Each structure stands twice: as C-alpha cells, then as structure tokens.
Amino acid sequence: MLQILYLAQDLADPAVRRRTLTLVTGGARVTLAGFRRGANPLAAIDGVEPIELGTTADGRFGQRIGAVVRACMSLKSRLAHVPKPDLIIARNLEMLALARRAVAVFGGTVPIVYECLDIHRLMLRQDMVGRTLRAAEGQLGKDVRLLITSSPAFVEHYFRPISSIGAPPMLLENKVLELDGISEPKAAPAVCPAPGAPWKIGWFGALRCRRSLALLAEFSRRMNGRFEVVLRGRPAYSEFEDFDGFVTNEPFMRFAGAYRNPEDLADIYGEVHFTWAIDFFEEGQNSAWLLPNRLYEGCRHGRVPISMKGTETARFLSVRGIGLVLEEADADSLDTVLGSLSPQSYADAAERISRCNPGSWIFSRADCEALVRQLAALTVETRQHVPIVATAGARHNEGGFL
C-alpha cells in the first residue's frame, strides 16, 4: 500500500478533505499534516487524524512564513512516530518548504509532488517581491517529481512561461467525487420555479470575492424579487468589510452556512437554478485562469453555470456549448443574460448540460485508483533513477499530462 505524507496549508479547507478522500479511496494510506486556519468540523475525515503544525491566518503572508519556519524546526519531533512515506505531496508553496525538510528527516530519498491549485498574485509581481518568491519556488521545487494543477491555463500562463518549476504538470480537475457511501444521489432535474417564486442563483464554496457579492446584490435588488441569491460555504472574512452585515441587509440574498463536500452537494444544488462560476478576486490573473469547484458541482447536478467572457471557465463552457456568459462585469450585462429568461430557454440550457458526458464532472472510484497508481509509479522511478516523461493529453483530460 502506497504511504503518502500529505502536507496541507489549511486543515479546515474542504478541498483538503476531498483530496485526502481521493487518495484513501484510491488505495493509499495517508498521513495528513498541516496548519489550521479556523474551525470546520465538516472537514473531518473518518480514520484520518491530522498532525497540526501550527495556526496561520488568511491574508497574513508574513505570519505564514513565520509559522512555516517554526514548523520546520519542530518537524522531526512531530513526525517521530510517522512511518517513512513512499511519497510526499505538498499543497501550496509554503508546504513545499516543509516537504523539503521532511525529506531530510526521513533520509533524503522520498519523492515530492507539488500540488498548486491557485497562483497567488504575489507570485506574479514583477518587482523584487515577485522575483524573490519565484526564485524560492524554483529552489524549493528543483527536485519535485510531479506538478499537480487544476487548470490548463495555470500551465499556459504561469508554470511554462514564468515559473522555474521544471516537473511535468498533471491536470487534476476539481471534479465531484462519486464514491460508494460518500456521495449523495444526483440532484433532482432542474425545473423552472413555480409562478411567483424566484429564480435562484447559487454561489457556493470559497466566498472571497467582494465584487461578486456587490454585483449579485445589485442585480437581485434590480430584479425586485424575481431572483434570489443563495450563498453557502466558507466566507473569507478578511476580504470583506462586514460580510454578515452586508448579506443580512440584502432583501434577496441569504447565507445558508457551510456544507459537506461531496455529501451535501445534491441538496444544495437542488435548491438553485444557476451556478455563479465567476471570481474577480485576482482579476486578470488567477481568477481568469482557474476552473472552480462549483463549475463541476453545478454541471454535475444539471444547474446552468454563469461565467465571465475571456476566462478559462468561459472557454471550458464554450467547448461544450453550455452555460451563460457575461460580456461585462456589471448588473446590466447580468440583466441582459437573465432578465428576459423564459422557461423554455432555461429548459434548453439545462438540457444541453444533460447531454454532456458525466465524466466531464465526476471523479470516480476507478479514477481515484488510477491516480494512486500514477503516484506509486513515481516511487519506482525514484528508486530506479528513471526520469518522468510527460505525455501529450487532451486540454481538459483529467489526470493527463499537459
């Protein structure tokens, strides 16, 4: 059985839970270690007791560096009772530093996989800060055996032209886990609201975009009850002046709390008609390149995604001939797309999603097993000193090399 040490930047992140479940389902034995950024009991995983390395905070880069330094100094004692892993996965740059230290603790022969699912704006700066961070990434990642990322645009716009990471990239999209005993049934088919009831737009997951919140609030007020906005997930309170107060004061917007992923997806998407698949958090950079979890979740459950022109999400939807695209990031454009919506046009949009291959949205038990086999191959190649050769794959072929 493949032994994996998974180093995570936030043990309360639902995406960390999902990745751990993926690896365990695929047949690996996972030791999870990382930092805590907040309480989230819904991120707990049966049978996996994480090793906490300290506490970090959103938006406080300096504090996170200090926490990583302290964790590196204590890592040997923290991992004293952990069997030597066959492989270490480092999620994000700060965990790559810990992975290098862990390799030294375990004897210097453990291959590292770098998992990078967001490109922080600091990494893209052209000043001394950006150059220093990219140099650090290149130094820490010089022996990395594989790069896991979730969007082809990250490779196209950052890893190939800018980053010094030389490891072959593997696309691992943010698909919905479909595992026996874990995922709930697919949501009921999308239907138009009853007469007098509102259309509902669901914005689920990591809620960190002030511009999206303001835009959805303005649009829902303009529609005067024809549309309601439902928010669920984990608000990044550091990014909002007063998230709870703002939402409370909006007549057609409500926050319904956190949820389990994938267990609760059918219920929460079953309540809405549209998925907000737009993020302006790092506009023109990471936000334009990512393919968010809610894109796959909403389409898996037949809900119509709303995207922004010029983004990787819009390109993804265009290839499949589905979804709605805003021309401009304002309420007028949203009104143009949704204001004249008819039951028939909505039914047509939902029906186009239903014709897509389900494999576009889901990650099955067989996919989990295939991923773990690919990771296990790295340990053989490391022992035999055989270089990894990236093979060509389809642009959006999950699990394929880019």
Side-chain angles (χ1 to χ4, degrees):
M1 178 177 286
L2 185 68
Q3 302 270 355
I4 296 177
L5 172 61
Y6 188 33
L7 299 173
Q9 86 290 359
D10 181 6
L11 296 173
D13 186 347
V16 170
R17 176 181 188 265
R18 191 172 63 252
R19 180 69 79 235
T20 304
L21 286 172
T22 297
L23 297 170
V24 171
T25 301
R29 180 172 294 141
V30 179
T31 299
L32 177 62
F35 296 103
R36 180 77 61 182
R37 291 192 190 174
N40 181 14
L42 298 182
I45 306 165
D46 291 341
V48 177
E49 187 66 33
I51 300 171
E52 296 200 16
L53 302 177
T55 302
T56 58
D58 272 334
R60 297 179 57 190
F61 199 71
Q63 187 268 344
R64 284 160 58 183
I65 292 176
V68 169
V69 171
R70 290 190 294 274
C72 283
M73 295 173 64
S74 64
L75 198 60
K76 185 173 182 179
S77 61
R78 298 288 183 92
L79 299 180
H81 302 294
V82 175
K84 181 178 180 179
D86 301 307
L87 183 77
I88 297 173
I89 300 178
R91 188 182 180 99
N92 288 5
L93 180 57
E94 60 259 49
M95 308 315 292
L96 192 53
L98 280 172
R100 292 290 298 271
R101 173 59 182 152
V103 169
V105 167
F106 288 116
T109 58
V110 184
I112 297 174
V113 172
Y114 181 29
E115 182 179 30
C116 185
L117 308 182
D118 283 296
I119 310 300
H120 196 281
R121 59 185 177 275
L122 293 178
M123 303 298 296
L124 298 167
R125 285 172 53 163
Q126 296 304 310
D127 58 7
M128 181 61 71
V129 172
R131 289 193 294 270
T132 299
L133 287 173
R134 290 191 296 273
E137 181 186 57
Q139 181 64 27
L140 293 172
K142 64 181 180 180
D143 297 323
V144 164
R145 301 289 289 164
L146 183 68
L147 166 69
I148 291 177
T149 193
S150 57
S151 170
F154 291 150
V155 178
E156 179 182 344
H157 295 289
Y158 177 71
F159 285 110
R160 280 187 179 145
I162 299 175
S163 173
S164 298
I165 295 291
M170 184 175 74
L171 180 65
L172 196 59
E173 295 175 69
N174 292 313
K175 295 184 179 182
V176 179
L177 281 179
E178 293 278 341
L179 309 177
D180 301 337
I182 291 182
S183 60
E184 291 293 322
K186 186 177 178 181
V191 295
C192 299
W199 295 94
K200 294 183 181 182
I201 302 172
W203 180 21
F204 303 151
L207 308 178
R208 59 184 183 177
C209 179
R210 284 174 291 179
R211 190 171 180 184
S212 286
L213 189 66
L215 172 54
L216 288 168
E218 180 185 354
F219 172 72
S220 64
R221 281 177 177 266
R222 177 183 295 192
M223 293 293 102
N224 196 30
R226 284 188 58 210
F227 285 82
E228 179 182 345
V229 179
V230 182
L231 312 176
R232 287 182 180 268
R234 298 178 70 211
Y237 285 103
S238 62
E239 300 299 328
F240 301 96
E241 184 174 335
D242 180 10
F243 176 85
D244 293 326
F246 183 94
V247 174
T248 298
N249 290 326
E250 287 300 319
F252 309 112
M253 177 179 285
R254 60 185 173 89
F255 176 55
Y259 57 92
R260 294 174 302 163
N261 187 335
E263 291 91 335
D264 296 337
L265 295 182
D267 286 339
I268 67 173
Y269 282 97
E271 185 186 357
V272 301
H273 303 94
F274 302 94
T275 302
W276 186 254
I278 296 175
D279 187 331
F280 304 107
F281 180 63
E282 291 179 349
E283 192 171 0
Q285 298 177 341
N286 188 75
S287 292
W289 304 337
L290 58 75
L291 292 172
N293 296 316
R294 51 187 170 266
L295 168 66
Y296 300 90
E297 295 166 1
C299 289
R300 167 67 182 103
H301 297 293
R303 272 47 190 178
V304 178
I306 303 170
S307 66
M308 188 70 221
K309 180 181 178 181
T311 63
E312 185 70 11
T313 299
R315 177 159 55 175
F316 179 96
L317 295 174
S318 175
V319 168
R320 291 158 177 78
I322 60 176
L324 304 174
V325 178
L326 301 189
E327 292 291 323
E328 302 292 339
D330 55 36
D332 287 338
S333 185
L334 195 51
D335 191 351
T336 299
V337 170
L338 294 181
S340 60
L341 189 74
S342 70
Q344 186 58 54
S345 61
Y346 179 75
D348 291 343
E351 197 272 334
R352 285 194 295 273
I353 296 172
S354 71
R355 294 202 301 262
C356 293
N357 186 332
S360 299
W361 323 122
I362 65 173
F363 202 74
S364 68
R365 182 175 295 274
D367 293 324
C368 296
E369 293 168 351
L371 172 62
V372 170
R373 286 196 298 271
Q374 286 179 289
L375 296 176
L378 299 180
T379 66
V380 175
E381 290 157 348
T382 297
R383 289 194 298 269
Q384 297 178 349
H385 303 288
V386 177
I388 304 171
V389 179
T391 58
R395 181 172 179 78
H396 290 288
N397 178 26
E398 196 287 323
F401 289 98
L402 295 173

